[in-house]
Amino acid sequence: MSDQHDPAPYDALLLLSFGGPEGPDDVVPFLENVTRGRGIPKERLKEVGQHYFLFGGVSPINDQNRALLDALRTDFAEAGLDLPVHWGNRNWAPYLTDTLREMITDGRRHIAVLTTSAYASYSGCRQYRENLADALATLEAEGLPLPRVDKLRHYFNHPGFVEPMVEGVLASLAELDPSVRDGAHLAFTTHSIPDSAADSSGPVAEHGEGGAYVRQHLDVAQVIVEAVREATGIAYPWKLVYQSRSGAPHIPWLEPDICDHLEELHGAGVSAAVMVPIGFVSDHMEVLYDLDTEATAKAAELGLPVRRSATVGADPRFAAAVRDLVLERAAGERGTRVERCALGALGASHDLCPIGCCPARTERPAAAGADSPYA
């Protein structure tokens, strides 16, 4: 095998995701997993679960991950990369601990981990690392030999993640009536998180107002806007906005909300809008409900023409980007210098999360970082 296609020291890739219900009977148990330890009554969970019940109690995220698995396996095989790909979830089957147990039984000892979250934040990075540590602790208690797990770097600005989104924006603009197209506004959306979590996202040196979380999204949005300008000749106005808030009303979260922003655009006489979900890898429930259902209904109420651009999903370019991330990290582990692909002004993210990066709400062990108890 040529060094260019050598995944060593890795002997497997783990796709680590959030999980979601696959039927009406799964909805409340799934939400109990998501909110475990918060003391939320079951009746309240049933109310929250209405979003899922509108879609038959099925989250699209699991099928989207199956499609991504197929895309990764196809890309790896076509590129001559001999690396098995496994899938585990934080909150629903296939559960992370079960998947890691199977991988250990199959003899996997050095595992690269890709999470379906592209940006730095507690919930998008550190919490997955905590999940990995919890799973490893369980397997250690069972007497199993523990593998080393290495989380791949944030890929928010990798060309294979950004370029499909550029195409999605161009396609959405093309769908708008020519009479409103040139005056459209681009609303880049991502998951709202508490201000405190945003401010402390990323390495300590990047903490501050919005932290790495906001800074990374703004950088990607700017790259997309510039690419759209080059393709159309129009510098479309844009703004980073938020969606899917789920916290207590008295706790400050990132704003403005997408629906409030659409009202502002309408009030300012904007002719149309394209919602660009740059914070999401695939069209899961936050995209289908909060944008395609709720925000689209708000736009219809206002009489504001709106389109929603596509997420990356299982795009072959994203699968190739994952391969690139694996081989890049593998070469680094072997002590070989390689070019690290990244667009925008921020450059490639760190491989190893440093101490103090996206700190936990309460102190808990986290794997795959400088403070990992599992070397």
Side-chain angles (χ1 to χ4, degrees):
M1 178 180 296
S2 69
D3 187 68
Q4 185 179 1
H5 295 90
D6 186 1
Y10 298 111
D11 55 18
L13 173 67
L14 169 62
L15 176 65
L16 177 55
S17 193
F18 192 82
E22 301 210 69
D25 293 341
D26 296 343
V27 172
V28 172
F30 162 74
L31 293 173
E32 287 175 332
N33 288 343
V34 173
T35 62
R36 192 175 307 282
R38 301 183 200 174
I40 299 177
K42 182 170 288 189
E43 290 307 311
R44 173 57 182 153
L45 295 179
K46 290 179 180 178
E47 294 176 16
V48 173
Q50 290 306 311
H51 295 182
Y52 291 99
F53 292 126
L54 286 174
F55 296 87
V58 178
S59 169
I61 193 170
N62 288 330
D63 278 345
Q64 289 161 6
N65 280 325
R66 292 183 183 103
L68 180 55
L69 276 174
D70 288 343
L72 291 172
R73 289 166 177 160
T74 298
D75 177 88
F76 286 11
E78 291 178 350
L81 182 63
D82 184 16
L83 194 71
V85 186
H86 301 256
W87 168 37
N89 288 325
R90 173 189 291 175
N91 297 301
W92 203 248
Y95 288 103
L96 168 60
T97 302
D98 296 335
T99 299
L100 277 177
R101 185 184 294 109
E102 292 172 3
M103 295 175 77
I104 292 171
T105 302
D106 288 344
R108 309 304 172 193
R109 294 295 180 265
H110 202 149
I111 300 168
V113 180
L114 176 81
T115 63
T116 52
S117 177
Y119 300 84
S121 70
Y122 171 76
S123 57
C125 183
R126 169 108 194 170
Q127 192 171 10
Y128 280 111
R129 293 176 48 224
E130 291 175 353
N131 299 146
L132 284 165
D134 290 343
L136 291 172
T138 297
L139 299 173
E140 184 176 41
E142 294 176 6
L144 293 174
L146 296 188
R148 174 172 165 177
V149 295
D150 290 337
K151 180 182 175 294
L152 300 176
R153 67 172 169 96
H154 300 302
Y155 49 84
F156 63 92
N157 56 2
H158 194 289
F161 183 67
V162 177
E163 290 169 0
M165 291 193 290
V166 172
E167 285 191 6
V169 174
L170 293 172
S172 292
L173 287 168
E175 292 174 0
L176 291 170
D177 190 277
S179 65
V180 300
R181 184 185 302 144
D182 289 355
H185 175 98
L186 306 182
F188 292 93
T189 76
T190 191
H191 208 301
S192 183
I193 61 175
D195 286 2
S196 58
D199 294 346
S200 61
S201 58
V204 172
E206 299 179 31
H207 291 181
E209 185 175 356
Y213 185 74
V214 171
R215 193 172 300 115
Q216 290 170 358
H217 281 86
L218 288 173
D219 196 53
V220 171
Q222 185 64 64
V223 170
I224 294 174
V225 167
E226 179 59 23
V228 170
R229 185 196 64 77
E230 290 181 1
T232 64
I234 299 173
Y236 285 96
W238 64 278
K239 188 170 185 176
L240 177 63
V241 300
Y242 303 93
Q243 60 174 93
S244 312
R245 175 184 171 137
S246 59
H250 68 280
I251 297 175
W253 282 50
L254 293 173
E255 295 179 335
D257 177 78
I258 177 62
C259 289
D260 294 337
H261 183 58
L262 293 176
E263 289 188 346
E264 292 173 4
L265 294 178
H266 176 67
V270 171
S271 64
V274 173
M275 299 181 291
V276 189
I278 59 171
F280 305 92
V281 172
S282 64
D283 290 1
H284 50 65
M285 190 56 68
E286 282 85 353
V287 175
L288 289 187
Y289 182 80
D290 296 333
L291 294 183
D292 292 356
T293 304
E294 192 173 52
T296 299
K298 170 58 71 174
E301 173 190 318
L302 296 168
L304 178 68
V306 69
R307 295 292 185 273
R308 193 269 292 174
S309 67
T311 54
V312 174
D315 189 289
R317 287 166 293 184
F318 182 46
V322 174
R323 168 167 45 90
D324 181 61
L325 292 171
V326 170
L327 293 173
E328 166 201 292
R329 181 65 182 273
E333 291 295 312
R334 298 193 305 269
T336 303
R337 291 177 60 87
V338 293
E339 181 179 357
R340 293 156 57 84
C341 293
L343 300 175
L346 297 182
S349 186
H350 51 265
D351 281 334
L352 192 68
C353 291
I355 295 173
C357 192
C358 302
R361 300 162 187 165
T362 57
E363 191 169 339
R364 290 178 56 193
D371 55 353
S372 172
Y374 302 100

